[in-house]
Amino acid sequence: MPRLAANLTMMYTEHAFLDRFQAAAKDGFTGVEFLFPYEFAAADLKARLADNGLTQALFNAPPGDWGAGERGIASLPGRESEFQRGVEQALEYAAQLGNRSLHVMAGLIRPGEDRAAHHDTYLKNLAFAARAAATADITIVIEPINTRDIPGFFLNRQDDAQAICAEVGAPNLKVQFDCYHCQIVEGDIAVKLQRDMAGIGHIQIAGVPERHEPDLGELNYPYLFERIDALGYTGWIGCEYRPKAGTSAGLGWAQPYLANH
């Protein structure tokens, strides 16, 4: 039975952000995730979690200048000090919010830039992040993202992500398997889940291709949930989709899996 976490960045946008925790709990979610916590005090977010009986599943380390189009800095040469400060800030938040996973975004590679230099920077930064997180028993996760949603993103394929984790060699560095991104780039999701499960630290879902509810589109999520269960995954499954209409009205697909009906 999947443990679903509502992604509060994409879901419940009809509410102010701090009110989304209560809305998710009311619909039966017991876990939440979101992109970034940094515009709010950690204590305020912790209180929302506690008041609504929610577990924080995941959030992202600082991504650089998001408003200017940056999508992570882990692979960007010359930004190592900024990356390290961001990891330290993220771990400070995680210490209060209680999540055991932290997503580190790779960033963009521009046309003509040296991929080998990005790769080397990525490895060094991930090794730093994994060492820093290990003392707090936190797993760093990296996510392959499709280049339709984020053109130029450095990491796109599941096998490449697994190879990078193997190259770094840290036991608390794993892959964030987003079924939406994987289907767009590669497909064959059930087979890839079976192949890579030992190296998967977090799973996310959305309908393909529109990124609406998981029951809209070309993927058979009830089947995938059965496969994920059979493979022994017990972590959170993040619902990182944009509701087609109201969030609560579109949760029919999730009713068999949510705590309250």
Side-chain angles (χ1 to χ4, degrees), residues 58-248:
L58 178 84
F59 62 81
N60 295 356
D65 191 341
W66 188 266
E70 291 191 319
R71 293 297 181 265
I73 58 174
S75 76
L76 305 190
R79 304 285 289 276
E80 291 87 350
S81 295
E82 179 184 352
F83 175 80
Q84 292 177 11
R85 291 193 301 272
V87 168
E88 290 164 358
Q89 182 185 19
L91 291 174
E92 290 171 0
Y93 269 79
Q96 292 208 51
L97 302 188
N99 49 299
R100 313 314 313 162
S101 297
L102 178 66
H103 175 210
V104 172
M105 297 185 74
L108 308 178
I109 182 166
R110 308 292 182 182
E113 289 185 341
D114 186 345
R115 176 164 286 273
H118 276 258
H119 183 85
D120 290 345
T121 301
Y122 198 30
L123 294 181
K124 292 173 184 174
N125 279 334
L126 291 177
F128 168 85
R131 286 194 305 271
T135 60
D137 193 27
I138 287 175
T139 296
I140 299 294
V141 291
I142 60 173
E143 180 184 27
I145 294 177
N146 80 78
T147 54
R148 186 172 74 203
D149 282 42
I150 304 184
F153 197 75
F154 179 75
L155 183 66
N156 313 122
R157 293 183 57 86
Q158 297 296 320
D159 52 358
D160 289 340
Q162 293 290 342
I164 284 169
C165 289
E167 199 168 354
V168 174
N172 66 324
L173 177 63
K174 294 193 173 186
V175 175
Q176 180 169 307
F177 192 107
D178 188 313
C179 296
Y180 166 80
H181 293 303
C182 184
Q183 174 69 2
I184 291 170
V185 176
E186 306 175 59
D188 207 17
I189 287 178
V191 171
K192 289 180 171 63
L193 285 166
Q194 181 166 350
R195 180 192 70 189
D196 294 340
M197 184 54 74
I200 293 173
H202 188 66
I203 294 175
Q204 291 178 322
I205 59 173
V208 180
E210 290 90 1
R211 208 171 191 175
H212 293 320
E213 283 80 356
D215 60 339
L216 301 177
E218 64 196 40
L219 287 179
N220 181 355
Y221 277 107
Y223 170 79
L224 289 175
F225 290 155
E226 289 180 3
R227 297 301 308 138
I228 290 167
D229 282 347
L231 291 168
Y233 179 80
T234 59
W236 292 99
I237 295 180
C239 303
E240 193 182 41
Y241 66 84
R242 300 182 186 93
K244 190 170 183 178
T247 302
S248 298

